[in-house]
Every structure is written in structure tokens, then in C-alpha cells.
Amino acid sequence: MLALIAGTGALPDELVARLPERPLVCAMEGFEPDHLSVDRAFPLEQLGGFIADLKARGVSGICMAGAVGRPAIDPGRIDAATLPLVPTLQQAILSGDDGALRAVIGIFEDAGLTVHAAHELAPDILPPLGCLTEAQPSEGDLTDADRGAGIVRAMSAADVGQACVISRGQALAIEGIYGTAWMLQSLTRRPDAGGGVLFKAPKPDQDRRADLPAIGPDTATGAVAAGLSGIVIEKGGVIVLERDRVIAECDRLGLFLLVRERAV
């Protein structure tokens, strides 16, 4: 049996719609999915008890999909099964995103559960290679994308962000803890004539079983508001949520969406 630990956003809904049968839908308290009904909610302080319950129900695999935050741990809520996990959880909360997810994945694996990636269960959730829109990137846009790939690689060393904005070879913004939408919004009053690309890709050494980057319709509108010419994402590394709607929105706004091979 598969358990889906669902967070917020569109990904859990899209994943469940693609699965042959409905998984056991679970959620951490405070980060429940927007639309799916939840079969089992749990506080982080009772993660150990939650894992024991999953195994008692016959769950052998889990998938984590959707956005979650980092809640503070309330010592008074910690159950006996979670007590041995506290040092690992505390370290995870203080780590970067990839470090935190590796720690949580390790906890599930140590308990004998297999951790599946969303795109492993539903491969068509990832877009195909090529330009998916009517608008096409210029040579300058492709050069900016190369520059963006190098910047994301450099960011990965510090476990910070999965996206940046490049224009004419210059980094205008890099993604931090507040995410892509906030980064794009910060550029809506940029002083230059506009142009440039949003580049998004997973960190080169990231564990891709969780927190694979994603874009959606709001990314397209945010990119246009920031004065950009297009969006470039890495093949096999970025999920496009509501893909048909994203492509239609890009076409309406004159934005290109390019899926390129992973930079070497």
C-alpha cells in the first residue's frame, strides 16, 4: 500500500489523479492539501507514532508531494516513538531544504519504508523536451539560460534555492526561502528595459524523491510582470503543474517556455 504525504499546492491533486488507485492520503498538521480529503493527519512531534501506524496499516511505500514548512517542535507533544528521532528532526529544521529532506527520507527508510518520487509514480507529470510555446527563445535568451544553470549549480553548494533570473548575462535575482513567486515580485519595479529569463532546475546533487521544483500558471503571470521574455526549465527536473493552462497562459502573454537538457 502507498501513503501520500500531501502538502499544499496543486501537485498532490495532479498526482492522485494519475495513480491507478487512491493512496492513503496523509498530511502534517498545518500543511494539509488544498483539496484532497485527508485520511491521517499527524503533528511533526508524533512522526514516530505516525510511521508505526503506517506500518500497522500495511503501508510499504510513501511519496511526499506538495509544499510544507518547518514548524517549531513543541516538546510537550512528543510521543515515545518520536523521542529517539528528535536530534535528527532538530538538525533537519536547521538545515537547507535538501539537507532537511534527506534527513526525513532517512527516517522513513530506516523504518523500512520505500520512498517514491512523484515522477516515478507518474512519469507524465514531467514535460517533454523542447519549446512548448508559440514564442521562441532568442540566442541571447539561450545564453542567459546557460548562465542561469551555472548560477543554480553554485547555489547548490550552499543548499539555497533552485531558480534565478538572468538578463544579458547578469543575475537580477536568486531564489531564497520565500520562493519563486516572491523573487519575481521583487523585480516588478526593475529600472531597466526588461527582458531576461527565469531559469529553474533542481540542485545537481539533490535527492529528487522530494521537493522537485515546479512551476504553474502563476509563474507565467509573475514572469511577465517582472518583464521577462521567457522561462527555461531542466528536462526531467521540473514539474509543470496544470501544464495545458501554463502553455495557454504563456501563449496569451507572449512568453516562451523552454524545456532544455540538463547542463553538464
Side-chain angles (χ1 to χ4, degrees):
M1 180 188 295
L2 176 72
L4 172 64
I5 302 178
T8 61
L11 179 56
D13 301 81
E14 293 208 18
L15 179 58
V16 169
R18 286 170 163 82
L19 295 177
E21 58 184 46
R22 188 181 188 277
L24 181 75
V25 178
C26 308
M28 188 165 69
E29 287 183 2
F31 304 98
E32 291 84 357
D34 300 331
H35 305 294
L36 293 174
S37 59
V38 175
D39 302 309
R40 174 69 158 84
F42 66 95
L44 182 61
E45 296 90 343
Q46 295 171 21
L47 178 62
F50 166 66
I51 291 173
D53 182 40
L54 290 184
K55 298 185 73 173
R57 291 172 183 244
V59 170
S60 58
I62 67 158
C63 177
M64 294 181 281
V68 297
R70 303 180 187 222
I73 294 178
D74 178 357
R77 299 190 71 187
I78 298 173
D79 62 14
T82 307
L83 196 59
L85 307 177
V86 169
T88 302
L89 291 173
Q90 287 179 323
Q91 184 60 45
I93 289 171
L94 296 174
S95 300
D97 289 344
D98 194 45
L101 286 167
R102 286 180 188 275
V104 173
I105 287 172
I107 288 173
F108 284 113
E109 289 184 325
D110 288 346
L113 296 171
T114 301
V115 180
H116 300 279
H119 58 282
E120 173 191 342
L121 300 174
D124 67 335
I125 207 166
L126 294 171
L129 183 69
C131 189
L132 308 183
T133 52
E134 295 173 0
Q136 300 289 314
S138 67
E139 287 300 321
D141 294 326
L142 296 177
T143 299
D144 281 343
D146 289 338
R147 172 77 166 142
I151 289 172
V152 169
R153 283 198 301 270
M155 290 162 60
S156 71
D159 196 5
V160 175
Q162 300 166 307
C164 60
V165 174
I166 306 298
S167 179
R168 301 172 184 87
Q170 299 298 312
L172 303 186
I174 60 173
E175 183 185 55
I177 192 171
Y178 299 120
T180 302
W182 190 93
M183 176 184 67
L184 293 174
Q185 188 176 20
S186 73
L187 295 172
T188 55
R189 295 186 179 182
R190 52 189 285 197
D192 60 12
V197 302
L198 166 65
F199 180 85
K200 193 157 191 173
K203 303 178 184 77
D205 57 351
Q206 173 177 333
D207 190 322
R208 298 191 177 200
R209 287 175 291 176
D211 194 36
L212 208 62
I215 64 170
D218 290 346
T219 312
T221 54
V224 168
L228 305 185
S229 301
I231 301 169
V232 181
I233 61 176
E234 182 184 286
K235 180 181 181 292
V238 180
I239 295 168
V240 180
L241 300 170
E242 300 180 75
R243 189 187 308 171
D244 291 344
R245 186 179 162 200
V246 169
I247 294 171
E249 187 71 357
C250 286
D251 287 340
R252 183 182 73 84
L253 297 169
L255 198 72
F256 72 80
L257 172 57
L258 175 67
V259 183
R260 57 170 263 171
E261 293 283 7
R262 180 178 182 179
V264 178

